[in-house]
Amino acid sequence: MAAPLAPTVAVIGGGQLARMMAEPAAALGIPLRLLAEAEGVSAAQVVPDHEVGDYTDLDTLRRVTEGCAVVTFDHEHVPTDHLHALEGSLAVRPGPEALVHAQDKAVMRRRLVELGVPCPRHAVVADVADVEAFGLPCVLKTTRGGYDGKGVWFVATAEEAAAVFVEAAEQGRTILAEERVDFRRELSALVARSPSGQLAVWPVVASTQRDGICHEVVAPAPDLDPELAVEAQQAAIRIAGELGVTGVLAVELFETRDGRILVNELAMRPHNTGHWTQDGAVTSQFENHLRAVLDLPLGAPDARAPWTVMVNILGGAHDTGRLYDGYPHAMARDPRLRVHLYGKELRPGRKVGHVNAYGDDLEDCLERARHAAAWFAGDLGEESE
Amino acid sequence: MAAPLAPTVAVIGGGQLARMMAEPAAALGIPLRLLAEAEGVSAAQVVPDHEVGDYTDLDTLRRVTEGCAVVTFDHEHVPTDHLHALEGSLAVRPGPEALVHAQDKAVMRRRLVELGVPCPRHAVVADVADVEAFGLPCVLKTTRGGYDGKGVWFVATAEEAAAVFVEAAEQGRTILAEERVDFRRELSALVARSPSGQLAVWPVVASTQRDGICHEVVAPAPDLDPELAVEAQQAAIRIAGELGVTGVLAVELFETRDGRILVNELAMRPHNTGHWTQDGAVTSQFENHLRAVLDLPLGAPDARAPWTVMVNILGGAHDTGRLYDGYPHAMARDPRLRVHLYGKELRPGRKVGHVNAYGDDLEDCLERARHAAAWFAGDLGEESE
């Protein structure tokens, strides 16, 4: 193969986020090189230049990034030390100094408090006595390694807390206690930041979780106080800048019933709450992530429609889901529906795709996206039509 | 790799049209298998499951399509006999009976005349005397194998016609004479048709050629008489149905100065005059081509903006073109610009990419797209800003 015409971007992790980076990479003529967990995983299906290997192995990381201009990530699980080691050879974006805030919740909380960003009340807890001193009921989280509701426990009693410590001790995990926030809903503020310091800020969205997994996103967040929207965006801008984030930063927020916002989580990569941008914004989060890590000027983040609704396709309790086989109904029922499948088989609780519906009428978008996602997941029979 | 979750689509030809099919294929979870002309060609850069081989070799075609549900094409150059032979094993879309009308201009003219579709005056000519009888000046075309202005000659004298016959005889080509149409402009009517007979009809666009290569497309065609627009769309619908086209059909038309339309060319694949749909329509021609060849319901072809302008990036006379290196200026100047590069090196006259600009103001879209394309091609210095 001839020398590439543009710098190659290494992507660590072969999940759907890497897969969805491949679409704008192809359009922009940017070659990707992928480190995949196994042959045939989501992104490996669409990125020719891929290798299968272990992202916790530094030699593997060195080999796959050799000759690349920059390395970025499908997930936040690459050991921080390895990222520091790679920095001698190529640009690591986001860099380890920033990424640690998305890897370690205790580090993240400490830094956000220093910055004066509003957070839920929290404390690192070493035992049940610490939890009781913090106050029950509360939320316990492992500081590292949690995702999609894993590593998070809602505990009401000392017994429940004790069980968490048994589990965490087995895995050598540190535990963070946080207050249970009485929230009205969850919001997400998504920004992309380039090393040069340019920012692209998408509209603030409302997200709904189901069993700890992002399920539905409405862009923009309906009836959001404009001042609160600006506050959420400013928080994301401030965090991105102070932490030196490069690429996409998602700031997941609680909107409290008394009209405040509190930062829940940070993610430094394209995020589920930004999937609506693929069809609903001038520039998608996946394209701007690539632009940002290459320090190219960012694309406009404006919405292209008054409303965009994203609903995830999650494997349901039933065994009646359908993916490709669901196309005839879903596509014929709604010719404007945008479908994104990840090349994964349906399994209970697994994210296998999402749909976007955009338009002028929020109720219509909600109905279309919910119907399609339920149809694919098997949560709906044809008789429901 | 596990068994694919959706039927595999074989694509013959590794050019940019196949490359741009890969984006919606990834989104829809549809695996592609590619037959590429050489390692590293445009589509082979983004389709993992590819083989390098000769599309005029039936054994190669059989091998690459084995296990696929359907085969479709990046170009129209696969021998008709081979397509018939493949039909025993899998669906060939478009099929050979339809495709021959895009492969052979004499067959196409004969059929369109039978259908009563308005065409320029034409005749198959065997020698200079035939051309003189037809009338000079005229246009001579090889009936097979021409593209992007190749295989087309504008002749004014018997001497010029004689030179064409010398060249054509060397290549064993048949020659078609056509009147030189006094056209106001060129239009294109793009439709997708599924085997079940569903149609998606995009707005009629105006296209401008430069040296026989599509250079600029405006969607929709400005100031087009609505009756003429319907006439153009009806012609495309009629041709697609009567010829049994499956996939995208582009009908290139002349709009004459006296307000008629005449069919110039047919293409049965995604077409340069449809590249605007990637950013300007609800469903792109590439996605609907895939849906159509799989006999899935088609996506809505409506425009998403009042105007979309596409300008091709063509290698210029100068050696000052830039592709990736042109991004900092192009992207910073116009954050709403949509860039599509094909992974090809710049060479004089070669199509290496295109840009789309959409918006409410046609002049603004024209200026943005023209500026960016000229910038990439090297036809513009920074001092022109």
Side-chain angles (χ1 to χ4, degrees), chain A residues 72 93-94 188-203 232-242 244-251 267-271 273-274 276-277 281 283-302:
Chain A
T72 190
R93 292 177 180 159
S188 177
L190 195 76
V191 301
R193 182 177 176 277
S194 71
S196 297
Q198 193 196 350
L199 286 146
V201 186
W202 284 274
Q233 291 181 318
Q234 291 289 5
I237 290 168
R238 179 110 194 281
I239 294 167
E242 294 282 353
V245 176
T246 46
V248 166
L249 167 72
V251 180
M268 290 183 198
R269 48 168 172 76
H271 190 253
T273 59
W276 70 275
T277 61
T283 313
S284 80
Q285 66 168 347
F286 298 101
E287 178 167 337
N288 264 347
H289 186 76
L290 287 175
R291 291 193 189 200
V293 302
L294 287 163
D295 205 10
L296 291 170
L298 303 176
D302 328 18

Side-chain angles (χ1 to χ4, degrees), chain A residues 360-383:
Chain A
D360 299 333
D361 184 285
L362 176 56
E363 289 308 315
D364 178 64
C365 294
L366 283 167
E367 192 279 331
R368 289 162 52 208
R370 285 172 180 168
H371 176 94
W375 166 254
F376 284 115
D379 294 338
L380 182 75
E382 282 182 276
E383 69 280 7

Side-chain angles (χ1 to χ4, degrees), chain B residues 26 29 65 89 96 102 150 161 180 183 245 256 272 311 333-334 382:
Chain B
T65 57
S89 314
K150 294 181 182 65
R180 289 199 67 160
F183 60 84
V245 176
T256 64
N272 203 155
V311 182
R333 183 182 192 266
D334 184 358
E382 282 184 274

